[in-house]
Amino acid sequence: MMTNLSSSFDPLSSIMGMSLNWTSTFLGLLFVPYLFWAMPSRWSLLWSSFMSTLHKEFKTLLGVANPGGTILFVSLASFIVFNNFLGLLPYVFTSTSHLAMTLALALPLWLSFMIFGWLNHTQHMFAHLVPLGTPGPLMPFMVLIETVSNIIRPGTLAVRLAANMMAGHLLLTLLGNTGPSLSLTLLNFLIISQILLLLLESAVAVIQSYVFAILSTLFAGEVN
């Protein structure tokens, strides 16, 4: 029985002091052997089509100078979309609705891009702090603004993904808790609205994984 709305997002299931909720993050590894079947299923073909589309999109953003750079971002998008969809199943822990997970994905990526850029393309990174055509008196302020915007990037990436996943789950929880007190007629409308919300959350799961990966790709493209 939930004590509050946020308790559905707390990793409380544990055995011998070890949290079991976070193990759902690695369930995607069970589906890897399906990709190597001699006769691929329809789901495997659909997944391969999704991955190839992402590869072409990221390759355009990264350029021909980094032909293998898309592997990281395609893997990141597939990891996030799997965990987003997994959270839509009943009684399954949604790891991507926690800042502990999303910040652990965004912060190392951003930090590695910044270190690589400032060590290998220092002049290029300094040039990014002042946009082209900025008047002389405004340059110190633009440097400050661009520096702050660069620092908060991992936070915005993490909060965007976690907030979008948590908001949909909270709305589904709120509507679901009103079911026992409704009449039969209103209950039918509630079920229909829940199904429509579930379809919307499925779209959000794909869109948010794409947005997270595409923004990470853009951050990588800026340092090259």
Side-chain angles (χ1 to χ4, degrees):
M1 193 71 182
M2 290 196 309
T3 56
N4 55 66
L5 288 176
S6 299
S7 62
S8 60
F9 302 100
D10 295 335
L12 298 177
S13 300
S14 61
I15 292 180
M16 299 177 63
M18 298 179 61
S19 177
L20 296 181
N21 283 328
W22 294 100
T23 57
S24 64
T25 308
F26 305 101
L27 290 179
L29 298 176
L30 299 177
F31 296 91
V32 173
Y34 291 103
L35 301 177
F36 297 95
W37 283 9
M39 294 294 292
S41 62
R42 293 181 179 179
W43 288 109
S44 298
L45 293 175
L46 179 63
W47 186 256
S48 299
S49 176
F50 178 67
M51 292 294 103
S52 62
T53 303
L54 288 180
H55 169 71
K56 294 176 183 177
E57 184 77 19
F58 297 155
K59 186 178 180 181
T60 303
L61 293 174
L62 290 175
V64 295
N66 300 285
T70 59
I71 297 176
L72 170 64
F73 302 104
V74 170
S75 302
L76 179 65
S78 60
F79 174 77
I80 295 175
V81 74
F82 173 79
N83 282 280
N84 289 350
F85 271 110
L86 198 65
L88 297 178
L89 299 177
Y91 305 106
V92 178
F93 177 71
T94 313
S95 60
T96 49
S97 65
H98 289 257
L99 279 175
M101 170 62 73
T102 56
L103 196 60
L105 293 175
L107 188 59
L109 279 175
W110 172 83
L111 193 60
S112 60
F113 296 153
M114 288 296 103
I115 293 175
F116 175 82
W118 283 104
L119 290 181
N120 297 279
H121 307 287
T122 308
Q123 187 175 359
H124 177 73
M125 297 297 291
F126 273 118
H128 263 290
L129 296 178
V130 181
L132 188 64
T134 304
L138 293 179
M139 285 185 180
F141 300 101
M142 291 305 300
V143 171
L144 180 62
I145 293 172
E146 288 295 324
T147 302
V148 172
S149 67
N150 281 333
I151 292 175
I152 66 174
R153 277 179 175 179
T156 55
L157 268 181
V159 171
R160 181 187 292 109
L161 178 58
N164 278 282
M165 298 309 300
M166 183 178 290
H169 286 65
L170 280 177
L171 189 55
L172 288 170
T173 304
L174 278 171
L175 292 176
N177 287 340
T178 59
S181 60
L182 296 179
S183 62
L184 186 59
T185 304
L186 292 177
L187 190 60
N188 291 328
F189 285 106
L190 177 63
I191 293 174
I192 294 174
S193 63
Q194 288 277 63
I195 293 174
L196 293 177
L197 267 176
L198 196 60
L199 294 176
L200 178 62
E201 279 298 296
S202 300
V204 169
V206 179
I207 292 171
Q208 288 304 315
S209 64
Y210 174 77
V211 169
F212 192 98
I214 206 74
L215 288 177
S216 300
T217 309
L218 291 175
F219 297 160
E222 288 184 1
V223 301
N224 288 326

